[in-house]
Amino acid sequence: MQIKIKRVYEAPSKEDGKRILVDRLWPRGISKESSKIDLWLKEVSPSNELRKWYGHDPDHWAEFKKRYWAELKSNPEGLGKLKTSLDEKVITFLYSSKNLEYNNAIALKEFLSK
């Protein structure tokens, strides 16, 4: 299985495979019809408290991942839904952050690879 990362505002493509939104909040300005999102897994997104604390500050990246991964490990129901959804050869995690290097989709993919 291949996991890709893509900003939800980028145009959908056939190469995306199964498109999974991994943000807690629905992205602004995106309609559910045009987004071509197959699944919204807000259960595996960072908590509101962690999301607000992080604020996409690269200086907080290492600590953000540590806290986010701890949240994931303590969320067997959410992880179960995620693992069940990984049933295609290609999966694309979608996120809305403007930060292309430090976002929860990247942290989630890294978590799954460990």
Side-chain angles (χ1 to χ4, degrees):
M1 175 188 51
Q2 177 186 14
I3 297 177
K4 298 179 177 184
I5 306 291
K6 190 173 188 178
R7 195 157 185 253
V8 72
Y9 298 102
E10 295 177 49
S13 70
K14 290 180 183 177
E15 291 78 32
D16 291 345
K18 187 173 191 177
R19 294 169 50 88
I20 302 174
L21 178 63
V22 293
D23 282 350
R24 181 153 306 269
L25 304 174
W26 188 264
R28 291 182 181 164
I30 298 287
S31 75
K32 292 185 180 184
E33 295 77 32
S34 68
S35 65
K36 305 288 188 226
I37 293 172
D38 298 305
L39 183 62
W40 181 18
L41 276 179
K42 58 185 166 187
E43 298 89 349
V44 297
S45 66
S47 66
N48 283 327
E49 296 79 14
L50 180 57
R51 188 176 53 81
K52 290 176 184 176
W53 170 83
Y54 173 49
H56 301 288
D57 182 346
D59 292 338
H60 292 162
W61 178 242
E63 182 64 21
F64 167 77
K65 287 195 308 183
K66 181 179 172 184
R67 293 181 187 189
Y68 180 34
W69 293 354
E71 286 184 356
L72 288 167
K73 288 176 186 174
S74 68
N75 181 4
E77 184 178 330
L79 281 179
K81 285 183 179 182
L82 174 62
K83 289 177 182 177
T84 301
S85 70
L86 301 178
D87 58 353
E88 301 288 330
K89 289 186 178 187
V90 178
I91 305 288
T92 299
F93 288 158
L94 302 170
Y95 67 95
S96 61
S97 171
K98 292 179 183 175
N99 192 323
L100 306 180
E101 295 179 55
Y102 305 104
N103 61 66
N104 62 300
I106 290 172
L108 180 59
K109 180 180 177 181
E110 192 175 326
F111 173 83
L112 292 172
S113 70
K114 293 192 178 243

